[in-house]
Amino acid sequence: MSNTLKATKLDFSLVKPYIKVIGFTMLLPIAFAAINRSLLTGVSFAMCFIAMTTGYTFSVTEKNSMERLYGILPIKKSEMVTGRYLFVLALGAMALVVSLITQPIVLRAMGESVGTLDMISAAIGGLFALYTVFQIPGYYKYGAIKGRVFMYIPVAGFLATLFFLPKMPADNPIVTTVVSSPVLLIGLVLVLVVVMYAVSIWFSIRIMEKKEM
């Protein structure tokens, strides 16, 4: 576990030059939520933006030929991969928490009502943004440059969310479940998140084990 945390800290060091950019990505969704008067779309937009920064660590590693450095470190490839996922999850959790705090404040200041149901729906919407489970294995397989197409997966996911959510009827099973039993739905979403990330980590480790460093 200590090696995994060390790998996570190394990834944080790699993205230090991009801290201002990442911070700016947290401000844009606030404006987007204010324009659309919707917490759910604002949070989804935030998760889309933060997922697009996933490629930074891969890009810095590839441009600086850091594979050799990783190769001589006393750390297993599986621990490196797990550390990378932990880093990405930490960024995602930060984006979700910041969005759920700042965006409701802005919306309420504009006269919009933001209730508990809105907060729960937005949180679930943020958890459903599982873009990185597809991105990270793709980056490990093809690299940051050849695999740059994976950077646009969050954009496609966000546009799909933006298109389908307004068309979701009030009697939709998901909407009904949120209203009647939000705790149950959150539990199911968390299980889905854990399973999908476990599968994604397994694929990434398999890819890394086959690579020479």
Side-chain angles (χ1 to χ4, degrees):
M1 184 63 183
S2 60
N3 283 341
T4 299
L5 292 176
K6 288 177 182 177
T8 303
K9 290 180 180 178
L10 178 58
D11 282 347
F12 272 109
S13 299
L14 292 178
V15 299
K16 265 189 176 181
Y18 301 99
I19 291 297
K20 290 183 180 179
V21 176
I22 294 174
F24 184 65
T25 62
M26 292 293 94
L27 297 178
L28 286 177
I30 298 175
F32 191 83
I35 294 171
N36 288 271
R37 304 293 179 106
S38 170
L39 178 62
L40 180 57
T41 55
V43 170
S44 298
F45 192 52
M47 300 311 290
C48 167
F49 260 52
I50 204 67
M52 291 180 70
T53 65
T54 300
Y56 285 174
T57 49
F58 291 95
S59 179
V60 173
T61 301
E62 190 170 330
K63 287 180 179 178
N64 294 280
S65 301
M66 295 181 65
E67 291 83 2
R68 294 179 182 178
L69 171 62
Y70 282 108
I72 63 175
L73 290 175
I75 181 172
K76 297 178 181 177
K77 290 181 179 180
S78 59
E79 292 171 329
M80 289 169 50
V81 171
T82 308
R84 179 66 51 87
Y85 273 88
L86 187 59
F87 163 74
V88 169
L89 286 171
L91 280 185
M94 178 191 70
L96 185 60
V97 170
V98 170
S99 298
L100 289 175
I101 293 175
T102 57
Q103 293 185 22
I105 293 174
V106 172
L107 289 172
R108 284 169 180 156
M110 297 176 64
E112 296 291 328
S113 60
V114 181
T116 304
L117 181 59
D118 298 310
M119 296 286 287
I120 293 173
S121 300
I124 292 173
L127 290 175
F128 260 126
L130 299 173
Y131 310 122
T132 53
V133 299
F134 305 106
Q135 288 178 295
I136 299 177
Y139 283 132
Y140 274 123
K141 178 69 175 178
Y142 299 104
I145 297 176
K146 291 182 179 178
R148 69 182 65 182
V149 65
F150 293 99
M151 182 179 70
Y152 301 104
I153 288 178
V155 178
F158 172 70
L159 291 176
T161 302
L162 200 62
F163 178 77
F164 287 112
L165 279 179
K167 297 187 176 183
M168 188 176 289
D171 58 349
N172 185 280
I174 296 178
V175 177
T176 304
T177 306
V178 172
V179 175
S180 61
S181 182
V183 176
L184 174 61
L185 185 58
I186 290 175
L188 292 174
V189 171
L190 287 174
V191 171
L192 176 64
V193 170
V194 171
V195 170
M196 291 189 70
Y197 270 105
V199 173
S200 181
I201 291 172
W202 181 82
F203 272 111
S204 294
I205 291 175
R206 292 266 302 195
I207 293 170
M208 279 295 290
E209 292 290 350
K210 294 179 181 179
K211 284 188 173 184
E212 294 198 10
M213 302 181 67

